[in-house]
Amino acid sequence: MSNATTARFSRRGLLAAGGALGLGAVLTACGDDKKDGGADTKGSGDTKSGPWSFKDDRGTTVKLDKAPASIVAFTGVAAALYDYGIEVKGVFGPTTTKDGKADVQAGDMDVSKVTVLGNVWDQFNVEKYAALAPDVLISTMFDDAGTLWYVPEASKDKIAKLAPSVGISVFDRQLTGPLQRMWELAESLGADMKDTRITEAKKRFEAASERLRKAARVKPEIKVLVGSASPELFYVSGTNLSADLEYFKALGVNFVEPTEEAKKPTGGWFESLSWENVDKHKADVILMDDRSSAIQPADISEATWKQLPAVKAGQVIARSTEPILSYDKCVAPVEALAEAIEKAKKVS
């Protein structure tokens, strides 16, 4: 994953397959990892007047004369900041569906009020970006090379010249790490992190996490498979790189893991199976990629899929493959998995 070629391949693989997509007692119980950030990585600066600075997960410190007013961000990042009261001017990444509605990755944002620079992979309108007079660009990172998610390789240099960038890593760390970093970023941008709505969301996330831990402890025999569907292939995701899955695994969830040999060509993200071989792994609960780039369970017509024990038992739930990094948006996925395990019957 350290060289550029592998990083680019893994990003495309993640987009296609949903492979990737750790605060209180929860963090302590799961183990504090240096990759999850610390005091030396916090943003700082007076958000009301005076200079602004933020040290991102590449170790790069962005410094401005004042807090950025014109923010452009990857859609999922913009959605997280929106939950903290910070609105952006422009977005790039899955924002609207074919019928013009908000994509799942847009969260609660009013997508009609932001400039969409690109709605699909490799699409980014540099001219529109320049017209926004951006102060900063913010995105997540799914590799250890500092590659900004959904910023096209072909135009990244032009984009970089127009404004500094901030990268929040979701690569090979527990979910609580990126959540804390997004919290710090929002706070540096002027968000009121003492707002009751925000603090209560954090408490709900922590409670949901404890519920999942208990469910996994009570039913350790329940095996969970993480999948994503395309017309030609079914992808089984591994847990070692994805922020949500690493966190769930730390809470005790028993995951099906792709074989090591199968994972090697994709840098560890996932295993590709033909629909004829979709029953290779035995599972009691299936988590399915909820992104618009993946076929949703209700639309899968393959007979082999319909014969899977977990499918026949109705034990299939959605997975937020690219979680919106606000506590509010991360509550539901944790609760859903906890409930699924609590109710699951052993069918594998």
Side-chain angles (χ1 to χ4, degrees), residues 55-298:
K55 186 176 181 180
D56 75 359
D57 291 339
R58 298 169 297 184
T60 300
T61 300
V62 177
K63 297 181 179 181
L64 300 174
D65 292 337
K66 59 182 180 179
S70 181
I71 301 171
V72 172
F74 169 68
T75 303
V77 171
L81 291 176
Y82 182 87
D83 286 349
Y84 291 133
I86 304 298
E87 298 189 22
V88 307
K89 286 191 175 180
V91 296
F92 54 96
T95 307
T96 58
T97 58
K98 292 180 179 180
D99 58 5
K101 295 180 180 179
D103 187 274
V104 65
Q105 295 191 61
D108 292 332
M109 282 194 303
D110 184 344
V111 295
S112 69
K113 294 183 178 180
V114 293
T115 298
V116 180
L117 304 175
N119 201 54
V120 297
W121 183 257
D122 249 0
Q123 185 182 87
F124 192 112
N125 191 313
V126 180
E127 289 72 25
K128 280 188 177 181
Y129 178 56
L132 292 174
D135 293 319
V136 68
L137 178 147
I138 309 171
S139 190
T140 46
M141 300 182 297
F142 282 91
D143 59 31
D144 58 0
T147 308
L148 296 174
W149 189 231
Y150 265 80
V151 173
E153 185 71 20
S155 55
K156 67 177 185 179
D157 292 338
K158 292 181 180 179
I159 292 168
K161 291 178 181 178
L162 294 171
S165 62
V166 167
I168 299 297
S169 181
V170 292
F171 175 72
D172 195 16
R173 61 201 65 208
Q174 292 181 26
L175 179 60
T176 41
L179 274 172
Q180 178 65 13
R181 294 295 285 135
M182 192 63 70
W183 174 289
E184 293 165 1
L185 176 59
E187 186 173 37
S188 80
L189 293 170
D192 178 9
M193 309 314 282
K194 294 181 180 180
D195 183 282
T196 302
R197 180 178 54 85
I198 293 174
T199 57
E200 286 301 315
K202 184 177 178 182
K203 290 178 182 178
R204 288 189 290 111
F205 173 80
E206 292 171 345
S209 297
E210 287 303 322
R211 179 182 176 184
L212 178 56
R213 187 198 307 279
K214 180 180 178 180
R217 183 174 64 247
V218 172
K219 286 188 163 183
E221 74 280 6
I222 297 301
K223 295 187 71 67
V224 179
L225 181 144
V226 183
S228 184
S230 76
E232 297 81 18
L233 297 169
F234 181 81
Y235 304 95
V236 179
S237 296
T239 60
N240 294 329
L241 294 179
S242 303
D244 62 328
L245 302 184
E246 286 201 11
Y247 183 57
F248 299 158
K249 183 168 62 176
L251 292 174
V253 176
N254 182 8
F255 283 105
V256 171
E257 296 285 358
T259 59
E260 289 303 315
E261 287 302 314
K263 290 193 297 181
K264 284 181 180 179
T266 65
W269 288 109
F270 58 88
E271 175 182 5
S272 305
L273 298 176
S274 66
W275 283 103
E276 290 77 13
N277 296 315
V278 73
D279 61 351
K280 175 181 177 179
H281 300 287
K282 307 304 179 184
D284 305 296
V285 172
I286 301 178
L287 273 176
M288 289 294 288
D289 188 348
D290 71 348
R291 294 175 299 177
S292 55
S293 57
I295 299 175
Q296 297 308 298

Side-chain angles (χ1 to χ4, degrees), residues 310-327:
V311 175
K312 293 173 70 174
Q315 295 176 176
V316 179
I317 64 170
R319 173 199 176 198
S320 296
T321 305
E322 292 183 49
I324 293 173
L325 298 173
S326 71
Y327 285 101

